[in-house]
Amino acid sequence: MRRVVITGAGTINALAEGVGATKTALAEGRSGIGVLQFPDVERLNVRIGAQIHGFAPQDHFDTGKLALYDAFTQYALVAGTEAMAQAGLECAPDPARWGCIIGTAGGGHGTANDAYRAVYAQGKNRVHPLTVPKLMANAAPAHLAIRFHLQGPGFAVATACASSNHAIGLAYQMVRSGMVDGMLAGGAEAMLNFGGLKAWEGLRVMSPDGCRPFSVDRNGMVQGEGAGVFVLETLDAALARGATPLAEIAGFAMNCDASDIVMPDQASAARAIAGALNDARMAPEEVGYINAHGTGTAANDRIETAAIRQVFGGAADLVAVSSTKAMHGHCIGATGAVELVACLMALQDGVIAPTINYSAPDPDCDLDVVPNEARRAHVGAVLSNAFAFGGFNAVLALRAI
């Protein structure tokens, strides 16, 4: 099996545009959650979210191209362009041997929301002729493939909150096995609109006043938006062309609870964590940081804590575990990709992002959650957890290089 490394990273999210600025915000414990701004927001009960403000699409794309791009595609292209630039690539070195996988839960949700508004609220009899190409979930990987001439495997992954971890994990397996030489992989999401938030309100898992993962007073998740995209290639190829590896992807595991459509399952989450460690040939004692799924809901944080303890045993008391969703929000299909930036920060910079808004411990969440302030530490290995509605779990293991 070939060793797989990340040579480029890109992101745009409510904290910042760009990996460097996002790392700074994470290290400072800054929150990107605020009052939402879009049509009909006053009709919502939950009016906060981690919304991207100040993004000017015309600064990134030609006017003619913008007619083809939903916001989630725009975010994917911005992140992908940054990742490829950092990797030192203008296009795929061998187009037939490079591909792209992007995770998303909602795809072009903003385009769909606008089309429904036009037909049902405004009484129009037609929608924009490019509605379907804009709203399809595979629009983001398709446009990334066009932009960077990626003629290998390309598709979208939709597993709710685990989508981008699945995308990155599948890309890793393809490169490791020799199926391809390199991949762009990550996630993109833009569901902060009236229709999207009204649907989420129905689940009664949204907090009206803030995300407080692992804290005893937590009362739900806060949705965000954005994208994270990464360049994956073999270590040998990266070194041969003079690229600088950011980290090594050492293992990946995925499974399904096959039980409840929304309630997480401890045993299944534990199997995914243990599977990633086993795939990476990594002992629990090696892991210095876990980026937790940590949604801020009562059930998720308690069950994730129990799953970590089940796998790590006594080593669970020694590992730092934080949730960065209190800063950039729960970006649903993009969340694992945005959180991978925090994992890279721990491995590269020795800075562990905090769990902000933490007020008091919960006996059922008795881990070192790095409360409120970032921490400096030498971290040689990390895990990134993603546990999604539908019972789909995906865990990545990475090592410093």
Side-chain angles (χ1 to χ4, degrees):
M1 293 291 187
R2 306 190 298 178
R3 293 178 68 183
V4 181
V5 294
I6 297 171
T7 54
T11 187
I12 177 171
N13 56 79
L15 293 174
E17 181 179 330
V19 169
T22 296
K23 282 184 176 182
T24 298
L26 290 169
E28 292 175 353
R30 193 187 313 157
S31 177
I33 294 171
V35 177
L36 291 167
Q37 299 174 19
F38 52 70
D40 289 330
V41 69
E42 68 280 358
R43 295 177 57 193
L44 296 173
N45 296 313
V46 175
R47 301 176 187 176
I48 61 169
Q51 188 175 16
I52 294 172
H53 296 292
F55 174 67
Q58 64 273 14
D59 292 343
H60 297 273
F61 311 109
D62 294 337
T63 303
K65 293 285 188 181
L66 275 176
L68 287 166
Y69 301 157
D70 181 89
F72 97 109
T73 296
Q74 295 174 29
Y75 297 157
L77 285 166
V78 168
T81 298
E82 181 186 11
M84 288 289 279
Q86 183 176 31
L89 296 170
E90 293 185 1
C91 62
D94 183 351
R97 298 281 301 167
W98 280 67
C100 180
I101 309 174
I102 297 296
T104 183
H109 200 281
T111 296
N113 185 73
D114 291 345
Y116 286 135
R117 182 189 299 277
V119 172
Y120 293 118
Q122 299 171 357
K124 295 182 179 179
N125 290 324
R126 65 178 65 185
V127 296
H128 194 283
L130 296 175
T131 294
V132 170
K134 287 179 68 176
L135 66 79
M136 62 188 190
N138 60 314
H143 285 294
L144 281 165
I146 292 168
R147 170 68 177 79
F148 296 110
H149 209 43
L150 310 171
Q151 297 178 336
F155 53 93
V157 175
T159 50
C161 318
S163 299
S164 51
N165 269 25
H166 273 117
I168 296 164
L170 290 170
Y172 156 69
Q173 290 179 333
M174 288 181 179
V175 177
R176 181 174 66 167
S177 70
M179 179 180 178
V180 296
D181 291 335
M183 294 289 289
L184 272 186
E189 205 74 270
M191 289 199 292
L192 293 184
N193 54 61
F194 175 72
L197 269 294
K198 181 55 72 175
W200 275 95
E201 278 186 356
L203 284 169
R204 299 183 180 180
V205 296
M206 306 287 287
S207 171
D209 56 11
C211 181
R212 297 180 286 276
F214 300 113
S215 185
V216 70
D217 60 346
R218 65 189 184 277
N219 63 356
M221 56 174 275
V222 175
Q223 196 169 143
E225 62 181 355
V229 178
F230 304 86
V231 177
L232 279 60
E233 58 185 306
T234 66
L235 175 61
D236 289 345
L239 295 178
R241 66 180 189 83
T244 301
L246 308 180
E248 178 178 7
I249 302 181
F252 172 63
M254 54 184 169
N255 64 15
C256 182
D257 299 350
S259 56
D260 192 277
I261 197 68
V262 293
M263 181 63 67
D265 179 80
Q266 176 188 331
S268 188
R271 281 195 300 114
I273 294 170
L277 290 172
N278 182 64
D279 190 44
R281 299 182 181 181
M282 186 182 292
E285 292 77 12
E286 292 181 64
V287 179
Y289 173 56
I290 300 174
N291 187 284
H293 192 57
T295 60
T297 61
N300 174 91
D301 296 3
R302 172 177 51 82
I303 291 172
E304 184 170 13
T305 298
I308 290 170
R309 287 206 166 275
Q310 180 178 329
V311 175
F312 276 66
D317 292 323
L318 306 176
V319 62
V321 181
S322 74
S323 170
T324 52
K325 288 182 173 68
M327 291 184 273
H328 53 65
H330 192 334
C331 301
I332 317 297
T335 200
V338 175
E339 288 164 355
L340 197 59
V341 174
C343 293
L344 292 178
M345 183 172 75
L347 292 170
Q348 292 181 286
D349 309 324
V351 178
I352 297 174
T355 302
I356 69 167
N357 301 331
Y358 186 86
S359 65
D362 180 343
D364 291 332
C365 301
D366 58 346
L367 298 168
D368 175 6
V369 299
V370 196
N372 297 318
E373 293 186 3
R375 179 183 305 164
R376 287 207 164 270
H378 174 74
V379 178
V382 304
L383 294 182
S384 176
N385 290 344
F387 307 129
F389 279 174
F392 296 109
N393 308 308
V395 180
L396 293 161
L398 294 89
R399 281 194 176 97
I401 192 167

